[in-house]
mmCIF file of all heavy atoms in Angstrom:
data_model
loop_
_atom_site.group_PDB
_atom_site.id
_atom_site.type_symbol
_atom_site.label_atom_id
_atom_site.label_comp_id
_atom_site.label_asym_id
_atom_site.label_seq_id
_atom_site.Cartn_x
_atom_site.Cartn_y
_atom_site.Cartn_z
ATOM 1 N N LEU W 130 0.895 -1.122 -0.040
ATOM 2 C CA LEU W 130 0.022 -0.028 -0.021
ATOM 3 C C LEU W 130 0.825 1.223 -0.016
ATOM 4 O O LEU W 130 1.593 1.395 0.993
ATOM 5 C CB LEU W 130 -0.951 0.060 1.205
ATOM 6 C CG LEU W 130 -1.932 1.037 1.282
ATOM 7 C CD1 LEU W 130 -3.071 0.785 0.279
ATOM 8 C CD2 LEU W 130 -2.590 1.261 2.662
ATOM 9 N N SER W 131 0.837 2.021 -1.072
ATOM 10 C CA SER W 131 1.655 3.223 -1.151
ATOM 11 C C SER W 131 1.183 4.318 -0.271
ATOM 12 O O SER W 131 -0.038 4.364 0.261
ATOM 13 C CB SER W 131 1.724 3.730 -2.602
ATOM 14 O OG SER W 131 0.432 4.263 -2.909
ATOM 15 N N VAL W 132 2.082 5.414 0.043
ATOM 16 C CA VAL W 132 1.580 6.414 0.812
ATOM 17 C C VAL W 132 0.352 7.144 0.088
ATOM 18 O O VAL W 132 -0.540 7.629 0.853
ATOM 19 C CB VAL W 132 2.779 7.433 1.207
ATOM 20 C CG1 VAL W 132 2.187 8.657 1.899
ATOM 21 C CG2 VAL W 132 3.773 6.624 1.786
ATOM 22 N N GLY W 133 0.609 7.230 -1.165
ATOM 23 C CA GLY W 133 -0.548 8.017 -1.988
ATOM 24 C C GLY W 133 -1.707 7.230 -1.823
ATOM 25 O O GLY W 133 -2.893 7.980 -1.808
ATOM 26 N N GLU W 134 -1.788 6.010 -1.913
ATOM 27 C CA GLU W 134 -3.047 5.134 -1.802
ATOM 28 C C GLU W 134 -3.606 5.266 -0.283
ATOM 29 O O GLU W 134 -4.918 5.501 -0.069
ATOM 30 C CB GLU W 134 -2.777 3.686 -1.986
ATOM 31 C CG GLU W 134 -4.097 2.800 -1.928
ATOM 32 C CD GLU W 134 -5.151 3.201 -2.897
ATOM 33 O OE1 GLU W 134 -4.886 4.012 -3.888
ATOM 34 O OE2 GLU W 134 -6.248 2.586 -2.851
ATOM 35 N N PHE W 135 -2.682 5.342 0.558
ATOM 36 C CA PHE W 135 -3.084 5.551 1.997
ATOM 37 C C PHE W 135 -3.924 6.890 2.141
ATOM 38 O O PHE W 135 -4.998 6.987 2.725
ATOM 39 C CB PHE W 135 -2.068 5.583 3.062
ATOM 40 C CG PHE W 135 -2.358 5.968 4.391
ATOM 41 C CD1 PHE W 135 -3.029 5.067 5.236
ATOM 42 C CD2 PHE W 135 -2.286 7.361 4.845
ATOM 43 C CE1 PHE W 135 -3.494 5.457 6.490
ATOM 44 C CE2 PHE W 135 -2.755 7.773 6.151
ATOM 45 C CZ PHE W 135 -3.330 6.909 6.896
ATOM 46 N N ARG W 136 -3.263 8.017 1.483
ATOM 47 C CA ARG W 136 -3.944 9.304 1.594
ATOM 48 C C ARG W 136 -5.277 9.252 1.043
ATOM 49 O O ARG W 136 -6.277 9.783 1.572
ATOM 50 C CB ARG W 136 -3.032 10.260 0.930
ATOM 51 C CG ARG W 136 -3.637 11.773 1.085
ATOM 52 C CD ARG W 136 -3.111 12.743 -0.092
ATOM 53 N NE ARG W 136 -3.967 13.735 -0.101
ATOM 54 C CZ ARG W 136 -3.936 14.776 -1.109
ATOM 55 N NH1 ARG W 136 -2.953 14.634 -1.860
ATOM 56 N NH2 ARG W 136 -4.895 15.681 -1.111
ATOM 57 N N ARG W 137 -5.435 8.625 -0.127
ATOM 58 C CA ARG W 137 -6.792 8.538 -0.818
ATOM 59 C C ARG W 137 -7.731 7.916 0.113
ATOM 60 O O ARG W 137 -8.907 8.378 0.262
ATOM 61 C CB ARG W 137 -6.541 7.723 -2.116
ATOM 62 C CG ARG W 137 -7.917 7.762 -3.012
ATOM 63 C CD ARG W 137 -7.791 6.834 -4.097
ATOM 64 N NE ARG W 137 -7.825 5.397 -3.809
ATOM 65 C CZ ARG W 137 -8.965 4.780 -3.341
ATOM 66 N NH1 ARG W 137 -10.072 5.386 -3.298
ATOM 67 N NH2 ARG W 137 -8.988 3.508 -2.965
ATOM 68 N N LEU W 138 -7.409 6.740 0.607
ATOM 69 C CA LEU W 138 -8.335 6.034 1.594
ATOM 70 C C LEU W 138 -8.533 6.859 2.849
ATOM 71 O O LEU W 138 -9.715 6.751 3.295
ATOM 72 C CB LEU W 138 -7.753 4.673 1.981
ATOM 73 C CG LEU W 138 -7.477 3.647 0.910
ATOM 74 C CD1 LEU W 138 -6.779 2.450 1.426
ATOM 75 C CD2 LEU W 138 -8.781 3.208 0.345
ATOM 76 N N ALA W 139 -7.851 7.514 3.262
ATOM 77 C CA ALA W 139 -7.846 8.406 4.495
ATOM 78 C C ALA W 139 -8.891 9.586 4.168
ATOM 79 O O ALA W 139 -9.784 9.843 4.921
ATOM 80 C CB ALA W 139 -6.607 9.037 5.032
ATOM 81 N N GLU W 140 -8.797 10.089 3.026
ATOM 82 C CA GLU W 140 -9.680 11.076 2.613
ATOM 83 C C GLU W 140 -11.100 10.522 2.407
ATOM 84 O O GLU W 140 -12.136 11.348 2.735
ATOM 85 C CB GLU W 140 -9.245 11.741 1.351
ATOM 86 C CG GLU W 140 -8.023 12.623 1.429
ATOM 87 C CD GLU W 140 -7.321 13.150 0.217
ATOM 88 O OE1 GLU W 140 -7.703 12.644 -1.024
ATOM 89 O OE2 GLU W 140 -6.782 14.183 0.210
ATOM 90 N N VAL W 141 -11.225 9.385 1.826
ATOM 91 C CA VAL W 141 -12.564 8.718 1.746
ATOM 92 C C VAL W 141 -13.115 8.489 3.245
ATOM 93 O O VAL W 141 -14.425 8.875 3.516
ATOM 94 C CB VAL W 141 -12.478 7.378 1.109
ATOM 95 C CG1 VAL W 141 -13.747 6.542 1.239
ATOM 96 C CG2 VAL W 141 -12.136 7.626 -0.352
ATOM 97 N N ALA W 142 -12.343 8.121 4.009
ATOM 98 C CA ALA W 142 -12.779 7.876 5.523
ATOM 99 C C ALA W 142 -13.165 9.229 6.178
ATOM 100 O O ALA W 142 -14.246 9.210 6.720
ATOM 101 C CB ALA W 142 -11.746 7.234 6.384
ATOM 102 N N MET W 143 -12.520 10.255 5.964
ATOM 103 C CA MET W 143 -12.665 11.590 6.529
ATOM 104 C C MET W 143 -13.987 12.076 6.137
ATOM 105 O O MET W 143 -14.872 12.713 6.898
ATOM 106 C CB MET W 143 -11.547 12.531 6.352
ATOM 107 C CG MET W 143 -10.299 12.189 7.147
ATOM 108 S SD MET W 143 -9.004 13.497 6.900
ATOM 109 C CE MET W 143 -8.599 13.428 5.188
ATOM 110 N N THR W 144 -14.157 12.018 4.696
ATOM 111 C CA THR W 144 -15.492 12.449 4.157
ATOM 112 C C THR W 144 -16.646 11.701 4.798
ATOM 113 O O THR W 144 -17.650 12.370 5.099
ATOM 114 C CB THR W 144 -15.418 12.297 2.674
ATOM 115 O OG1 THR W 144 -14.364 13.042 2.103
ATOM 116 C CG2 THR W 144 -16.787 12.778 2.024
ATOM 117 N N ASP W 145 -16.552 10.478 4.916
ATOM 118 C CA ASP W 145 -17.714 9.617 5.474
ATOM 119 C C ASP W 145 -17.923 10.067 6.935
ATOM 120 O O ASP W 145 -19.019 10.385 7.392
ATOM 121 C CB ASP W 145 -17.357 8.130 5.516
ATOM 122 C CG ASP W 145 -18.248 7.308 6.228
ATOM 123 O OD1 ASP W 145 -19.451 7.329 5.944
ATOM 124 O OD2 ASP W 145 -17.836 6.581 7.129
ATOM 125 N N ILE W 146 -16.737 10.338 7.711
ATOM 126 C CA ILE W 146 -16.981 10.741 8.990
ATOM 127 C C ILE W 146 -17.630 12.090 9.175
ATOM 128 O O ILE W 146 -18.528 12.321 9.969
ATOM 129 C CB ILE W 146 -15.521 10.670 9.792
ATOM 130 C CG1 ILE W 146 -15.097 9.325 9.975
ATOM 131 C CG2 ILE W 146 -15.729 11.366 11.089
ATOM 132 C CD1 ILE W 146 -13.570 9.224 10.336
ATOM 133 N N TRP W 147 -17.230 12.985 8.397
ATOM 134 C CA TRP W 147 -17.727 14.415 8.433
ATOM 135 C C TRP W 147 -19.145 14.398 7.987
ATOM 136 O O TRP W 147 -20.027 15.206 8.546
ATOM 137 C CB TRP W 147 -16.937 15.318 7.548
ATOM 138 C CG TRP W 147 -15.578 15.490 8.182
ATOM 139 C CD1 TRP W 147 -15.252 15.530 9.291
ATOM 140 C CD2 TRP W 147 -14.409 15.850 7.324
ATOM 141 N NE1 TRP W 147 -13.724 15.844 9.448
ATOM 142 C CE2 TRP W 147 -13.279 15.938 8.276
ATOM 143 C CE3 TRP W 147 -14.116 15.878 6.012
ATOM 144 C CZ2 TRP W 147 -12.019 16.297 7.910
ATOM 145 C CZ3 TRP W 147 -12.713 16.154 5.546
ATOM 146 C CH2 TRP W 147 -11.774 16.346 6.453
ATOM 147 N N GLN W 148 -19.504 13.684 6.950
ATOM 148 C CA GLN W 148 -20.959 13.556 6.495
ATOM 149 C C GLN W 148 -21.777 13.200 7.595
ATOM 150 O O GLN W 148 -23.068 13.377 7.559
ATOM 151 C CB GLN W 148 -21.067 12.785 5.264
ATOM 152 C CG GLN W 148 -20.448 13.398 3.950
ATOM 153 C CD GLN W 148 -20.463 12.430 2.723
ATOM 154 O OE1 GLN W 148 -20.664 11.259 2.925
ATOM 155 N NE2 GLN W 148 -20.218 12.987 1.645
ATOM 156 N N ARG W 149 -21.346 12.373 8.541
ATOM 157 C CA ARG W 149 -22.228 11.917 9.720
ATOM 158 C C ARG W 149 -22.151 12.892 10.849
ATOM 159 O O ARG W 149 -22.609 12.433 11.959
ATOM 160 C CB ARG W 149 -21.824 10.543 9.987
ATOM 161 C CG ARG W 149 -22.333 9.512 8.850
ATOM 162 C CD ARG W 149 -22.084 8.065 9.221
ATOM 163 N NE ARG W 149 -20.611 7.727 9.019
ATOM 164 C CZ ARG W 149 -19.724 7.589 10.039
ATOM 165 N NH1 ARG W 149 -20.176 7.570 11.388
ATOM 166 N NH2 ARG W 149 -18.433 7.250 9.811
ATOM 167 N N GLY W 150 -21.608 13.974 10.619
ATOM 168 C CA GLY W 150 -21.451 15.050 11.672
ATOM 169 C C GLY W 150 -20.518 14.745 12.763
ATOM 170 O O GLY W 150 -20.696 15.222 13.954
ATOM 171 N N LYS W 151 -19.419 13.813 12.620
ATOM 172 C CA LYS W 151 -18.522 13.509 13.730
ATOM 173 C C LYS W 151 -17.142 14.210 13.337
ATOM 174 O O LYS W 151 -17.029 14.734 12.296
ATOM 175 C CB LYS W 151 -18.318 12.030 13.647
ATOM 176 C CG LYS W 151 -19.660 11.273 14.069
ATOM 177 C CD LYS W 151 -19.410 9.809 14.537
ATOM 178 C CE LYS W 151 -20.674 9.227 15.038
ATOM 179 N NZ LYS W 151 -20.356 7.940 15.674
ATOM 180 N N VAL W 152 -16.183 13.959 14.409
ATOM 181 C CA VAL W 152 -14.997 14.463 14.281
ATOM 182 C C VAL W 152 -13.983 13.354 13.828
ATOM 183 O O VAL W 152 -13.988 12.207 14.421
ATOM 184 C CB VAL W 152 -14.489 15.004 15.635
ATOM 185 C CG1 VAL W 152 -13.051 15.535 15.550
ATOM 186 C CG2 VAL W 152 -15.492 16.111 16.051
ATOM 187 N N ALA W 153 -13.051 13.688 12.890
ATOM 188 C CA ALA W 153 -12.065 12.796 12.430
ATOM 189 C C ALA W 153 -10.767 12.847 13.385
ATOM 190 O O ALA W 153 -10.220 13.898 13.327
ATOM 191 C CB ALA W 153 -11.856 12.959 10.918
ATOM 192 N N PHE W 154 -10.323 11.759 13.882
ATOM 193 C CA PHE W 154 -9.042 11.604 14.531
ATOM 194 C C PHE W 154 -8.066 10.783 13.760
ATOM 195 O O PHE W 154 -8.341 9.597 13.578
ATOM 196 C CB PHE W 154 -9.168 11.077 15.929
ATOM 197 C CG PHE W 154 -9.897 11.978 16.930
ATOM 198 C CD1 PHE W 154 -11.271 12.191 16.905
ATOM 199 C CD2 PHE W 154 -9.195 12.643 17.929
ATOM 200 C CE1 PHE W 154 -11.883 12.945 17.891
ATOM 201 C CE2 PHE W 154 -9.867 13.528 18.778
ATOM 202 C CZ PHE W 154 -11.178 13.641 18.758
#
């Protein structure tokens, strides 16, 4: 898993968390 792919997956996770009104840690 490249760092670039990690960043992409992290951004997907953050978007999901924010859309549900939560805080991303």
Side-chain angles (χ1 to χ4, degrees):
L130 186 76
S131 69
V132 178
E134 180 65 8
F135 171 83
R136 182 197 161 193
R137 187 191 69 78
L138 292 174
E140 289 177 339
V141 170
M143 288 188 298
T144 300
D145 173 53
I146 291 168
W147 292 329
Q148 286 177 342
R149 289 182 284 107
K151 295 196 171 188
V152 178
F154 284 81

